[in-house]
Each structure stands twice: as structure tokens, then as C-alpha cells.
Amino acid sequence: MSTAPRPPLPDTMQLDSSLPDPSLGMRRAPEPGPVPSAPSLPAPRALLLDFGGVVISTTSRVTWARELAEIVVDRALAVGANLDLAEVEESLRTGRTALSLWKNAASRRLSPRELGPREIVEDFLLADLPATVRSALALDARELLAAMAPLVADHHQRPGITELLAECAARGIRLGIVSNAHSGRAHRTILENLGLGEAFGVQIYSDEVGIRKPHPDMIRLATEALDVDPAEAWYVGDTLDRDVVAGRRAGVGAVVITRDRRTDHPPFRVTDTPDLVLETPEGLLAPLRAALEAAAARAAAAAPASAAGSDALTAGGATGEVATADGTALPGEHTPAPSAAASRRPALLLDHGGVITLSTPNPERFAEVSAQIVALSERIGSPIDLATAERAAAEGWERHRTRKRARDAAADPAHLHEEIDPAMLWGDLVGAELPAPLRAALRLEAPQLSLTLHRCKNLPAPRPGALELIRWCHEQGIVVGIVSNTISGQGVREILARYGLTAMIGPSAYSDEVGVRKPGGEIFEAALAGLATDRADVLYVGDKALNDGRGGREAGIGTICLLRGGKDSDADLDAALTSGDADHVLDSPAQVIDLLAARLAVGPRPS
């Protein structure tokens, strides 16, 4: 173990301009050696850990690009594109290199934002592919990035982590993860598979909160949810330019480095320095115990002063909020117009609920998500009981429904069709009357809570004729996409996977991922951008006169079909037919086969 004071930067950690790193075109730092002793560290109430380099070490996998390229090629078949495997592999490698350069440059910024998943996939990883394919596959960006994480590297738990987490649990020290990530979902899965997920009260990932280290609010979001002041937390990372700088900007009590492969290769000179440099997390136990024991000794020696000081400490807390955002531009803003050579072959877009799936409301819809909220409250040290969680979930959902009705009735066109952000749903609507730290934690866990509620709020079953329609289109080479309002696109994908449809579904636009609900045009544009078909040759099937009929018509879709048996009455559907918002009102998805078959039989329609 070695210690390092704050400024000035110790000689052992100065960047050596005589040692260029040819692989990066940047400077390499020498191996750290003994450095002067640091003053004793303040006792922490919370320990915040980076994911890679602290909890997990990684070993690169040389076959990742080929394996991910195979996934991309398979997914492209669903949008009617036959891609060359070698070209996709090269695009992935080139894109990842460019992405690394962007991340290094972002570390220099004072308040860097995170790239949205669609930006990463469309502008970096698949940038060399045809525009239509990029647009289609970018709608599945979160799925591709979640698949990419375990392919790029093997993940191993670092030495000492089990003992460190046990020590913190025994001493009541709250734990959090604060990490830059392309897929927080993948990181959560890795921790769960290692049996570590329940140890952490909160997990902050850059792709989920829209900012990235060294932005100090990455750390402040965690301390807010754990109900501690940043000065009462230690932050443990492995990089100078991201972790040390983030810790200093956030004002944490101590910044600790556990050395990993990136520690000695900062992309540029960094003047902020850590308080402690360790070879592995194993070395953290001794200074942690020493700090806690020193604080206990001081408290025993001066009990009255200690009590007053404790009150002053616990009164503090970070109050800044960062709205969840992925920084992704709406697809309609830069969608290229179809080329004159675009295929006149038809394509099919489907709504999900009411068209592919019919659902029965689950009377116990809030049970599992309420239990999840209770477990979260206990992990962050702000416990509530199950009855309180169930009441909050039910009342929050009703606030959500009320807000949707108010938004739909509003006259403001700029926000008329905005989807309610998951962080707002859980942190502000469900958490309205819950403790402030729990509200903060709910905002951070919002995507997982939305997925849980999506899984439980209804009992889904395939609508008769829907699977037949999709399978027939697949056999005919007709691309099938989805345009759906939902609280969890990931949840819809799970249902489609259970039906065995994953490989048959092309561009899928879900409102929680696009940020706009039907009948808003942007969600239709997102799906249409992934079709190599003129929108006049697209057939869209929904079950609602306004959302699907008028929304599809205003998006310029050529043929609109509405199905009876969904949420809208027969009278509303017939009125849409009369007004021109629908071309057909049908009883079953299977009847769409006849419409498509007739179109294939007569060949391409004239423009």
C-alpha cells in the first residue's frame, strides 16, 4: 500500500513526457513507487465504488467483433438487409476505436454528457453501414450494447471485494456503484450473477443518467440517494482523468485508487491526485478500519462535541438533481429521404398492445414492484414498509394517468406528445410522499422499476391471428416493425421473445425509448427511418382511432388498418374509417394477410 497527499502531485505520479505510448499517441505515466505519508482519512458513512477496475477486472476477448457482427447481421435480416460479415466486423472495430477517442476527450470537459445508446450504435459502431440499416438497428441500441458488454471482455471479481462489502455491511456503511457504462443493464446483470447486486443501495451508470465522469453529479446523485453528504463518502476508482477528478469536483471525503490497466495511462496530464493508491481492493480494509476506529476514539474522548459535530454532518446533503436523458436526437431530425431506387415492396408496422398481444389486467400488479421499492429503501438506509410502498405505487400510477390526460388535453404543441420520463414517473409521481433519499434512488432505478411493473401489470397472450400474420410476412420477405406506446420497450421485447418472434421483428420504436408517444409523429418517423420502403407502401395496423389512425395518417403512411376488439369502440373505429383516418377496419390480424397478398400479386404500385 502507498499513500499520496493532495497537491502537489507526487513525483511518482507525474506524467513522463519521455515515454510516449505509441498505441494512443499520448503520454505514459511511470509505475508508482513509495510516496510521502498522507494525513489520516475521515471516517466514511458511505463507500462509492467504480465498476471496472475496482469491483471488476476485465480480460479482453479477441473474438468480440466477429461475434457481435454475427448478431448485427442476423438482426439486419429482419429489416430485409443482407450484410457482409467482414464489413460489419470492421465497422464495429473502427467505431469502438473512435468511441475510445471520444471518451478520452470528454474526460477533459467540466460537465461531460454521455452519448445516448442510439448515438453510440448509429454514429460510431455501425457508421459504415447503409443509412436505413443504421436507423433500424439503432432502435435496438440498448439490446445491442447489452449484448456487446460480455463479448468485449471476460469479467472477474477483484480480490478483496467480498471482504470489503461484508465489512461495510457489518459496520452500517452504505454502498453504491458510480460508473461510466455503455450498458448499465449489462453491469447490473454481471453483479447479480456474482451475487453482489443486493450489496449496493444504488447503482449509477452514465448511460442511465445522461452524464459521465468526471461530471461531479455522477457522485452527487449517489450521495443524495444514500442520504449522506459527499464529504462523508469515499470514492474508489482506477483512473486519474475520470475518477480522481470526479471525486475532487464532488468534494468527497477521500479519493482512493485501486490500480488497474488504465491507471498508469491517463490520456493527458491530470493535476488532481488521490489520497490513497492501492494495488487491489484488498488493501482498502486496513485504512477503512483505521479511519473508523480513529473516529470512534475521538468520539469517546469528546462525546459532547462529537454529538454536536454529528448533528452538523447529518444535516448536510447534496440537493442537485440531474434529469435522466440520453442526449439522443429525435430520429426525424436527420432521417434521409428514401432514394429513388428504394424498393416498392410493402412493409408492415404493427402496434403491440391490442394487435400482437391482448392483455388481462393483473389485480396484483403492484405487489412485486412494491416489494422491490421496500428492498431498495432498506439498502439505502431509508426503510419504508410494504403497505407504504404499495400505496405509493398505486397513487403514483394514478398520478401518471392523470398527467397523461392533462398532457393530451394541453394546447402546447411542443410537449403535447412527450412520453413521461421514467425518472419522473418513479421519483416524482410514485415517490411524491416518500423520503427524499428514496425519491432520489427511485429516479436512478426507474428503468428497472418500469420493467418490473410492465412484467406484472397485465397478463399477456398473443392475439389470435397475430403470430400467423408475422410468420407469413417473414416467409414472404416482408419487413415487420413495431410502433408502440409503452412504459418498457425492454418488457415488450421479452414478450415477443416468448412468442418466438425476435428474429422476425425489424425496426421497433417504443415510446419510452424514443421519448414521444403516439400520435406524435416522431415515434412513427423512428420506425419509418429503419425501412427501405417508401412510406406510401407501408401498411400500419393499430387498434385506436386517434393514436394509430390519425397518427399514422399524419405520418404519411400509405395504408392504415384498425382492429376491432381493442380499447376503442366499434363506433370510434367506424368514425375513423369515415373521416379518412383509416382505410380498413378489420376483425383479426390474420385478415391483413389478404391485403398484403393482393399487393404482392399485382406487383409494385405506381407512384
Side-chain angles (χ1 to χ4, degrees):
M1 179 179 76
S2 60
T3 59
R6 295 188 184 180
L9 188 67
D11 291 341
T12 55
M13 298 194 69
Q14 293 282 4
L15 297 177
D16 185 352
S17 60
S18 67
L19 295 174
D21 184 344
S23 66
L24 294 176
M26 300 172 183
R27 302 298 183 187
R28 181 191 302 273
E31 295 292 318
V35 293
S37 298
S40 60
L41 301 178
R45 291 181 57 211
L47 203 62
L48 306 178
L49 309 179
D50 192 9
F51 178 86
V54 178
V55 179
I56 298 294
S57 64
T58 58
T59 305
S60 298
R61 299 181 70 254
V62 297
T63 59
W64 74 269
R66 175 53 61 97
E67 294 171 8
L68 186 59
E70 291 171 351
I71 294 175
V72 171
V73 169
D74 286 343
R75 291 294 298 127
L77 291 175
V79 302
N82 291 294
L83 301 179
D84 181 80
L85 182 63
E87 291 179 359
V88 175
E89 181 178 356
E90 186 60 30
S91 181
L92 292 172
R93 292 188 184 278
T94 302
R96 188 163 177 244
T97 299
L99 190 57
S100 296
L101 297 173
W102 179 89
K103 290 189 290 186
N104 286 336
S107 296
R108 182 65 172 169
R109 304 190 68 183
L110 295 177
S111 302
R113 76 170 181 93
E114 182 57 277
L115 291 174
R118 289 170 63 186
E119 288 179 290
I120 293 173
V121 169
E122 193 166 9
D123 296 343
F124 286 86
L125 298 178
L126 303 185
D128 298 331
L129 303 188
T132 301
V133 178
R134 289 202 313 273
S135 296
L137 297 187
L139 291 170
D140 284 332
R142 294 185 187 276
E143 308 301 313
L144 288 173
L145 293 175
M148 178 177 173
L151 297 179
V152 167
D154 293 320
H155 296 77
H156 315 280
Q157 182 176 321
R158 291 203 74 186
I161 287 297
T162 299
E163 295 77 10
L164 177 63
L165 301 187
E167 183 81 11
C168 289
R171 293 180 177 266
I173 297 175
R174 297 165 190 177
L175 289 163
I177 293 284
V178 179
S179 176
N180 289 346
H182 296 327
S183 177
R185 186 203 307 180
H187 286 195
R188 292 172 190 273
T189 299
I190 290 167
L191 292 179
E192 290 296 330
N193 291 341
L194 292 171
L196 302 178
E198 292 300 313
F200 296 100
V202 65
Q203 298 181 43
I204 314 292
Y205 296 109
S206 60
D207 70 311
E208 296 176 353
V209 298
I211 56 176
R212 59 183 287 113
K213 296 178 296 184
H215 199 307
D217 283 351
M218 286 283 286
I219 290 174
R220 291 171 185 157
L221 285 168
T223 57
E224 180 185 15
L226 296 175
D227 197 22
V228 300
D229 190 85
E232 299 174 291
W234 289 8
Y235 182 57
V236 187
D238 68 312
T239 59
L240 302 181
D241 59 308
R242 297 164 201 182
D243 298 322
V244 175
V245 174
R248 291 287 175 245
R249 290 178 181 174
V252 297
V255 180
V256 180
I257 285 291
T258 57
R259 295 182 66 251
D260 199 50
R261 57 186 176 82
R262 296 180 298 174
T263 305
D264 301 328
H265 306 284
F268 42 77
R269 181 173 180 269
V270 179
T271 57
D272 288 310
T273 61
D275 297 289
L276 198 61
V277 179
L278 307 169
E279 289 301 312
T280 73
E282 288 176 301
L284 192 54
L285 275 178
L288 177 62
R289 289 168 177 163
L292 295 170
E293 290 163 6
R298 289 193 297 271
S306 172
S310 175
D311 290 342
L313 273 177
T314 56
T319 58
E321 290 186 9
V322 175
T324 302
D326 67 5
T328 306
L330 291 172
E333 294 176 355
H334 55 78
T335 303
S339 68
S343 169
R344 301 310 302 266
R345 191 173 182 81
L348 179 67
L349 292 177
L350 303 174
D351 188 14
H352 173 248
V355 175
I356 300 176
T357 293
L358 294 177
S359 299
T360 303
N362 179 9
E364 300 297 323
R365 62 169 60 188
F366 298 120
E368 186 170 340
V369 76
S370 298
Q372 195 169 329
I373 292 172
V374 170
L376 175 63
S377 74
E378 293 171 346
R379 292 201 303 273
I380 67 170
S382 297
I384 62 172
D385 58 34
L386 184 59
T388 301
E390 289 176 340
R391 183 170 61 255
E395 293 177 354
W397 186 252
E398 186 54 39
R399 292 187 189 100
H400 171 60
R401 292 166 59 87
T402 301
R403 192 179 184 280
K404 283 199 300 182
R405 289 192 293 267
R407 179 207 53 209
D408 291 344
D412 181 5
H415 304 287
L416 180 59
H417 303 305
E418 280 184 348
E419 180 59 278
I420 293 178
D421 184 76
M424 176 179 288
L425 168 60
W426 295 99
D428 299 342
L429 303 183
V430 173
E433 298 178 5
L434 298 179
L438 183 53
R439 291 200 302 271
L442 290 172
R443 283 193 288 270
L444 297 168
E445 296 295 313
Q448 288 68 44
L449 294 167
S450 289
L451 176 60
T452 298
L453 182 57
H454 188 276
R455 289 169 173 167
C456 299
K457 72 186 184 76
N458 293 307
L459 305 174
R463 178 164 182 165
L467 305 191
E468 178 186 357
L469 166 63
I470 294 171
R471 290 167 181 156
W472 181 86
C473 288
H474 184 66
E475 292 169 357
Q476 302 299 319
I478 296 174
V479 174
V480 178
I482 293 178
V483 182
S484 176
N485 289 346
T486 179
I487 63 169
S488 178
Q490 184 181 350
V492 176
R493 290 185 178 94
E494 289 183 353
I495 293 173
L496 298 176
R498 290 202 297 272
Y499 297 165
L501 299 178
T502 299
M504 304 180 192
I505 301 297
S508 301
Y510 299 109
S511 62
D512 68 311
E513 298 173 353
V514 176
V516 174
R517 294 176 60 83
K518 296 181 295 184
E522 291 90 341
I523 189 170
F524 289 99
E525 293 297 334
L528 290 167
L531 296 175
T533 303
D534 190 292
R535 67 189 64 207
D537 295 303
V538 174
L539 191 150
Y540 175 62
V541 184
D543 68 323
K544 300 179 184 66
L546 174 61
N547 288 353
D548 301 314
R550 187 173 305 171
R553 182 64 78 215
E554 290 180 351
I557 294 176
T559 304
I560 309 293
C561 299
L562 299 180
L563 296 181
R564 302 186 192 276
K567 289 189 176 181
D568 278 9
S569 67
D570 287 353
D572 288 339
L573 300 181
D574 291 337
L577 190 63
T578 301
S579 68
D581 286 338
D583 299 292
H584 305 278
V585 174
L586 308 174
D587 295 314
S588 167
Q591 292 176 286
V592 179
I593 295 177
D594 295 332
L595 298 176
L596 291 169
R599 188 171 299 184
L600 292 176
V602 300
R605 294 188 296 110
S607 175

